[in-house]
Amino acid sequence: MHNAVKAFAGTSSLNPMQSEVFDAAFHTQENLLICAPTGAGKTNVAMLTFVAHLREKGIIKNEKDPYAAYSHIGDDGGGRNSSSSQNGEGRKIVYIAPMKALAQEVVEKFSSKLKPLNVIVRELTGDMQLTRLEAESSDIIVTTPEKWDVVTRKGGDGSLSRTCGLLIIDEVHLN
């Protein structure tokens, strides 16, 4: 089963807004600004970009890759290639939720949808701290604007701002 299909289990089709932005969200690394009403499906557009990014970075398998049959070589046993699970630049996805309560909901939703792909989603807010190992092993970190501000002020080789390759800001007008 194609990885995008696994992430969208239970979804039979995209709505018109999602269909309009599908190519940009799933087949390019272009910056996107999605302005649509509540309930229009912006979260599914975010999921499309997640799957595309994770595929591009080798965190999930790319079925179009002619060498995909050999991708298990070097796996750490969990289906992840050990070289791709290193803390490399541009590897992580950071999702900024407007408030802590929403961050927890987002973590639960994304964890559930991305579980078949073995994607690790964790919360980093004022209430939820992560150890360095937890942060490094996370594929997606859900945080708040306040926590992201604090985290990005700390530089260095292993900093989250350096390892972030995809940044999604939910409700950008509130931040």
Side-chain angles (χ1 to χ4, degrees), residues 5-162:
V5 174
K6 289 178 188 175
F8 287 91
T11 303
S12 58
S13 65
L14 298 176
N15 69 28
M17 183 275 293
Q18 295 162 343
S19 298
E20 182 72 28
V21 300
F22 175 80
D23 281 331
F26 195 68
H27 295 295
T28 74
Q29 295 179 353
E30 296 294 320
N31 293 326
L32 300 173
L33 176 63
I34 307 295
C35 300
T38 300
K42 296 181 294 289
T43 303
N44 278 347
V45 174
M47 288 284 294
L48 285 169
T49 65
F50 290 175
V51 174
H53 178 81
L54 295 168
R55 178 192 64 218
E56 180 70 27
K57 295 298 177 182
I59 297 164
I60 59 175
K61 293 180 173 125
N62 180 358
E63 286 85 4
K64 291 184 179 181
D65 182 353
Y67 300 103
Y70 305 104
S71 63
H72 66 284
I73 298 172
D75 272 4
D76 62 8
R80 297 167 157 267
N81 185 290
S82 54
S83 64
S84 68
S85 63
Q86 297 298 318
N87 189 19
E89 282 190 33
R91 179 189 159 282
K92 252 181 229 329
I93 297 169
V94 175
Y95 185 100
I96 301 179
M99 57 191 101
K100 285 187 276 187
L102 200 57
Q104 189 173 20
E105 286 179 34
V106 167
V107 168
E108 290 172 15
K109 181 174 187 170
F110 291 154
S111 293
S112 172
K113 289 197 168 272
L114 295 168
K115 186 177 183 175
L117 299 175
N118 297 317
V119 172
I120 299 168
V121 183
R122 290 202 173 98
E123 178 183 346
L124 177 62
T125 62
D127 294 342
M128 293 295 296
Q129 300 298 317
L130 297 176
T131 66
R132 183 174 184 87
L133 183 60
E134 288 172 328
E136 287 176 358
S137 66
S138 300
D139 299 308
I140 301 172
I141 293 180
V142 180
T143 190
T144 58
E146 298 81 13
K147 190 65 174 184
W148 184 243
D149 182 49
V150 170
V151 167
T152 55
R153 291 177 188 266
K154 299 176 185 176
D157 288 341
S159 72
L160 280 179
S161 58
R162 183 171 289 235

